Amino acid sequence: MSKRKKSTSSVLLILLAMLLMLSSLHVQGAYAANGQASQIDAVLVVDVSNSMNTSDTNKIGNEAMKMFIDMLSVSGDRVGIVAYTDKIQREKALLEINTQSDKEDLKQFIDGLDRGPYTDIAVGVKEAIKVLQNGADPNHDPMIVLLADGNNDFDKASGRTAAQSDQELDAAVEEAKQAGIPIYTIGLNADGKLNKEALAELSDKTGAKSFSTSSAEDLPQILSEIFASHLKLKIVPIQSLTGTGNYQEVTVNVPNANVLEANISIMSSQPVETELIDPSGNAVAIPSNEVLVTKSKSYSLLKLLNPSEGDWTLKVKGVSKDKIDINLVFNYDLELAMEPLPSSSYKQGDEIAVSSYLTSNGQKLADAEMYKNMTAVLKVKDLDAGTTEEIPLTNTGDKFEGTYKIPEEHEYELVVRAEEKSFYRESPAVNISAKPGGATTPPPATAPEETGTGEEKPFPLLPVILSVLGVLVLLAVGYFLLHKMKQSNRGFVGQIVLEIRDENTGDKTYPQYKKLTAFRGKFTLHQLLQLAPELKETEDMIFTPGSNDRIILTSKSGGTVERSGRAVDTSKGLELKSGDRITLPLSSVDKTIFIEYLV
């Protein structure tokens, strides 16, 4: 083969490889974008002070948090945990749930929580907001769930005052509001000392809901409501039973084929046994590839994965005379979109046509069966007057349509809400103006220019050659950029265990387990330490991915790092494999950080 042919073949092979890489990147991006419609980053914040010994004597709050975790999707959601008194007792960074063992990891962490003296709500809320701001996925919905009795109890020796705590809490809540982080609160009132107003105010300011209960056994039900509310779902009560010692049947209706998961929660004071029959009459094994099951001392949760549409039969056997409550929460891959309006500016008296439709996996859903039982309204908020009105929309079978006549020369916000008995969805808000001088009309469509003269023109070969060369150059640049981007976005595996010892007192914190899968390219030790100001010198300690599931620690600051009691050089990179431990004495404060890398 001639050199010229070899060169041409090499170019073609490189071009094909580039195209395959670009196609692969596009497919992966599309797959990521078309995942489940609603995924969340949640931080569960729990008061573990001694006052909770009377507010939640049986630690049912822990059971409720575990049930919340079990209700999350099989993969994709992320959860962190903050346990506080007047300081952070224990903390778990946001952990992405990819397997059932990830959920078990979180639940074991909850079971290991201990209680201590004093309480300061501001400490727990501030830390939860910091966790989300430093580690939340921008494509996920953030949320905080706070379980507390709403009361503070300060250590007099610390000099901390109620005014200082309130000021910090107000600042944190405002920060959460600006960042769009709702704070759901659950007030525990077993001893009648609940500060209900304080907790309700936290939720109101951030657009969330507040709950209270005098019986900690209500917590699983409340957590179900929070889960449903945040994902724009509705709890479907199935039936309450009184156990007889024999199997009793209830019907679980899966309304359509767009249900991703059906969460059946069974709450009882005694364990129950369950059997399941699908709509075709076949028994379904529990557990199986179709059904996941988790149990605790106060609830059982069945998660049906991509369940078939129709009536399922659930058989429940409970202890005689034991009350059994059964609820159902669906998770849908559905969103609601509004057709773009022709303009954002109008005049008083103009009539606007509104059309809205459901989407699934980013595509318009034309399933008439899905729309059959749905109703929709156009919610119009007058931004000047502060009033809101709802205009019913017509369900045409594959969309919702209606009109709105602008009554005043004001600014307006338009949102479509569509719902049925098990869920609701709202479209993204659209703002329009009807103030004087703001009215515009869309430009008229222009017809394409006539370019044909009836004569044949020679094929423009030179522009084509230049275009091909331009494409090749772009592909080469793209390959280079992709290579660099791949390096900068390379992921991590495993986790880092952190402990901090105060050299003045000898006290050591509980181990903090920091999952690394959320990071790409690099991260600093300061990030793992939640950017604590007193630990600022750790921002020069940089971790990057290594080969064979290892990580590389690099530091240009010249700080001391010890392994097995000996100082090691990290200026050129120190490779850590699973099980390696290092020690970092801090020079700016009398603290030592112990680090262990685990895969």
Side-chain angles (χ1 to χ4, degrees):
M1 183 181 290
S2 69
K3 290 184 178 179
R4 183 176 180 181
K5 287 182 178 179
K6 287 182 179 179
S7 176
T8 303
S9 299
S10 298
V11 170
L12 288 174
L13 286 171
I14 292 172
L15 177 59
L16 179 59
M18 290 178 181
L19 289 172
L20 286 171
M21 281 187 290
L22 289 172
S23 299
S24 173
L25 183 66
H26 173 75
V27 170
Q28 290 173 7
Y31 179 80
N34 293 335
Q36 294 176 341
S38 297
Q39 294 195 313
I40 64 177
D41 282 353
V43 178
L44 304 176
V45 185
V46 58
D47 178 353
V48 290
S49 65
N50 289 334
S51 66
M52 298 297 284
N53 289 329
T54 52
S55 297
D56 182 9
T57 53
N58 295 318
K59 293 189 177 181
I60 300 298
N62 290 3
E63 293 294 297
M65 289 191 290
K66 290 191 285 185
M67 180 175 171
F68 180 86
I69 290 166
D70 283 332
M71 292 184 71
L72 296 174
S73 296
V74 174
S75 64
D77 292 323
R78 303 199 305 167
V79 180
I81 300 167
V82 173
Y84 73 94
T85 52
D86 61 338
K87 59 184 178 182
I88 301 303
Q89 290 290 107
R90 292 194 68 187
E91 178 181 330
K92 195 167 186 66
L94 287 169
L95 170 67
E96 183 172 351
I97 295 172
N98 291 311
T99 64
Q100 188 63 27
S101 64
D102 290 330
K103 292 188 176 185
E104 293 304 318
D105 184 16
L106 288 163
K107 291 191 286 184
Q108 287 174 14
F109 181 87
I110 290 170
D111 283 336
L113 296 178
D114 293 320
R115 289 178 173 163
Y118 311 115
T119 318
D120 190 343
I121 294 176
V123 170
V125 173
K126 280 175 57 181
E127 185 65 17
I129 294 169
K130 188 187 298 183
V131 169
L132 288 172
Q133 288 185 328
N134 294 335
D137 187 325
N139 296 316
H140 287 198
D141 292 325
M143 66 183 297
I144 292 172
V145 180
L146 170 65
L147 296 96
D149 59 15
N151 298 300
N152 285 332
D153 178 20
F154 304 110
D155 179 4
K156 293 180 181 179
S158 70
R160 177 78 161 176
T161 66
Q164 290 173 328
S165 176
D166 291 344
Q167 184 177 3
E168 288 185 11
L169 182 59
D170 289 343
V173 170
E174 181 60 29
E175 201 172 347
K177 179 181 177 181
Q178 296 301 322
I181 302 173
I183 303 176
Y184 295 87
T185 58
I186 303 174
L188 305 176
N189 194 34
D191 58 356
K193 297 179 180 180
L194 172 67
N195 190 345
K196 184 176 181 180
E197 292 74 19
L199 294 177
E201 186 177 2
L202 283 182
S203 297
D204 290 343
K205 286 182 177 178
T206 58
K209 293 184 177 180
S210 180
F211 301 85
S212 63
T213 176
S214 58
S215 171
E217 294 181 2
D218 294 337
L219 288 174
Q221 172 72 17
I222 291 173
L223 262 294
S224 297
E225 291 189 34
I226 290 175
F227 176 85
S229 175
H230 193 69
L231 294 182
K232 299 181 176 64
L233 305 170
K234 296 181 178 180
I235 294 179
V236 181
I238 297 180
Q239 192 173 336
S240 290
L241 302 173
T242 300
T244 62
N246 299 312
Y247 279 105
Q248 300 175 77
E249 294 186 358
V250 295
T251 300
V252 177
N253 176 257
V254 176
N256 56 71
N258 289 93
V259 174
L260 290 174
E261 299 174 350
N263 292 288
I264 306 172
S265 58
I266 306 170
M267 281 156 280
S268 59
S269 60
Q270 301 291 329
V272 299
E273 297 177 39
T274 55
E275 294 181 355
L276 197 61
I277 299 173
D278 69 17
S280 62
N282 296 319
V284 179
I286 305 175
S288 64
N289 292 334
E290 299 175 60
V291 182
L292 304 180
V293 60
T294 50
K295 295 184 177 182
S296 82
K297 61 185 180 183
S298 60
Y299 71 87
S300 296
L301 182 76
L302 304 183
K303 184 183 287 287
L304 281 58
L305 306 178
N306 296 306
S308 303
E309 180 180 351
D311 287 339
W312 293 64
T313 300
L314 174 67
K315 296 182 177 181
V316 181
K317 182 199 288 188
V319 175
S320 180
K321 298 183 180 180
D322 185 28
K323 183 184 178 184
I324 305 170
D325 291 321
I326 307 173
N327 290 309
L328 176 64
V329 177
F330 295 118
N331 195 5
Y332 286 93
D333 177 19
L334 292 173
E335 296 296 331
L336 187 65
M338 187 193 302
E339 291 280 6
L341 299 178
S343 175
S344 60
S345 299
Y346 296 89
K347 300 187 299 292
Q348 182 180 4
D350 281 353
E351 198 166 83
I352 305 173
V354 175
S355 178
S356 185
Y357 54 88
L358 293 168
T359 65
S360 176
N361 280 334
Q363 302 297 316
K364 185 174 181 179
L365 185 69
D367 182 1
E369 191 67 23
M370 186 70 232
Y371 286 85
K372 184 172 65 175
N373 297 316
M374 298 194 70
T375 59
V377 296
L378 174 66
K379 297 166 62 178
V380 182
K381 183 176 182 179
D382 186 324
L383 298 177
D384 294 326
T387 57
T388 301
E389 63 176 316
E390 295 187 354
I391 297 91
L393 299 179
T394 301
N395 184 339
T396 66
D398 63 352
K399 57 183 176 296
F400 309 102
E401 293 185 331
T403 58
Y404 178 66
K405 187 174 182 179
I406 297 177
E408 303 286 348
E409 295 179 340
H410 290 173
E411 304 268 351
Y412 297 91
E413 178 187 85
L414 308 183
V415 173
V416 175
R417 177 184 169 115
E419 61 185 305
E420 58 108 65
K421 67 178 183 179
S422 62
F423 78 99
Y424 71 92
R425 290 291 184 269
E426 291 186 345
S427 67
V430 175
N431 287 1
I432 61 172
S433 175
K435 291 191 172 179
T440 61
T441 54
T446 56
E449 287 187 20
E450 293 290 337
T451 56
T453 62
E455 299 180 8
E456 277 194 33
K457 293 186 178 180
F459 186 73
L461 185 59
L462 181 59
V464 171
I465 293 173
L466 292 175
S467 297
V468 171
L469 289 174
V471 169
L472 289 174
V473 171
L474 287 174
L475 285 171
V477 173
Y479 175 73
F480 175 77
L481 292 175
L482 281 173
H483 180 67
K484 289 296 184 184
M485 185 170 68
K486 183 178 178 181
Q487 285 183 322
S488 64
N489 286 285
R490 190 175 170 192
F492 293 83
V493 298
Q495 59 187 332
I496 283 180
V497 185
L498 294 172
E499 294 178 273
I500 303 175
R501 183 175 66 202
D502 188 321
E503 297 302 335
N504 293 319
T505 64
D507 293 339
K508 184 187 287 189
T509 64
Y510 288 101
Q512 299 180 40
Y513 294 82
K514 306 288 187 177
K515 287 282 187 178
L516 305 182
T517 52
F519 294 104
R520 290 290 182 272
K522 66 178 182 180
F523 64 89
T524 68
L525 179 56
H526 199 211
Q527 286 176 277
L528 287 187
L529 295 168
Q530 306 298 334
L531 303 178
E534 70 274 15
L535 306 176
K536 184 175 174 60
E537 68 180 274
T538 60
E539 65 185 3
D540 292 324
M541 311 295 293
I542 300 171
F543 293 92
T544 54
S547 58
N548 300 321
D549 292 342
R550 301 185 181 192
I551 59 174
I552 310 296
L553 171 62
T554 307
S555 174
K556 304 296 184 182
S557 65
T560 303
V561 175
E562 299 175 357
R563 179 160 63 179
S564 301
R566 296 182 179 181
V568 292
D569 181 13
T570 58
S571 62
K572 296 180 181 180
L574 173 67
E575 185 178 70
L576 300 177
K577 64 181 184 298
S578 182
D580 280 352
R581 299 182 182 186
I582 58 174
T583 303
L584 176 61
L586 301 182
S587 58
S588 59
V589 291
D590 292 330
K591 294 181 185 296
T592 300
I593 301 175
F594 299 87
I595 300 171
E596 181 179 7
Y597 175 56
L598 298 174
V599 176

